Amino acid sequence: MSKTGVLTVMSGFSGAGKGTIVKGLLADHDYYLSISCTTRAPREGEENGREYFFVTREEFERMIRDNEMIEWAEYAGNYYGTPKKAVEDRLSEGKDVLLEIEVQGGMQVKKLFPNAVLLFVIPPSAEELLSRLRGRGTETEEQIRLRFEQTAREIHYIKDYDYVITNDELDKAIEKINAIIDSQRVKPVFQEDSIQALSQGITHLIDSSELGKKD
Ligand code: ADP
Ligand code: 5GP
């Protein structure tokens, strides 16, 4: 590995603030946000190729068969998946990549990319979660109930994540995430080039018979 970016997975309860946090992260950092494929219909204001690539079930199933997805999952009756090529290309250019995906996908990424960092976003309380979902105004009360049931299931996956981020004050949550991503770069796996150069330098000095000569 000569140069690789940090791969970050962000999951969390619906309404916890993932979308809002991602906007904040992109506002002052040069992260690449992966655009997923989905079979769900676009919501009002969503554009193909911006929020998602909106594809048919047939096309999605073809992409799975042709191994074009890093991970995929079925969520609320629709397929969602991360296209492989864009993510791999950006990582190999050394760019940091963000995936905003649900927990089953998060677990697949963890297996495939052991150096990925997995973040789980939670709200400060259940009441605040409900108030945010209602306040967003994009779901009916019945859909909100279904999302709460989904949330109750997702809680069991949190222990498999690396970090839990409470999104109480937005700016603080964003600051913490930027710090976590930055701290990945001092892990040995991201320092391989420096370590190799240093190792060659040390071997060279040992071999050059320069050591032990001074005084
Ligand atoms: P998610 O993408 O996790 O479903 P959103 O980013 O859409 O959640 O946020 C849900 C609602 O909560 C939005 O109306 C958003 O403006 C609001 N919100 C997000 N973060 C905060 C925060 N830290 N404090 C108060 N409201 C927030
Ligand atoms: P929504 O329909 O509200 O946009 O997204 C529903 C859920 O699908 C969210 O939890 C979102 O994080 C997740 N999701 C979006 N894209 C992907 C993806 O590529 N893979 C997986 N596994 N989940 C995704």
Side-chain angles (χ1 to χ4, degrees), residues 11-23 100 121 124 128-129 131-139 147 166-171 173:
S11 302
F13 304 149
S14 180
K18 300 179 297 293
T20 310
I21 288 176
V22 164
K23 266 193 209 130
E100 199 238 284
V121 178
E128 174 65 15
L129 184 65
S131 132
R132 285 184 191 173
L133 271 176
R134 283 186 173 151
R136 188 169 69 182
T138 49
E139 280 83 23
R147 283 177 185 242
T166 303
N167 177 23
D168 190 353
E169 283 179 54
L170 181 64
D171 288 352

Side-chain angles (χ1 to χ4, degrees), residues 29-44:
H29 281 77
D30 191 23
Y31 300 128
Y32 171 74
L33 175 65
S34 162
I35 302 170
S36 298
C37 290
T38 183
T39 58
R40 85 150 161 74
R43 293 186 188 129
E44 211 177 296

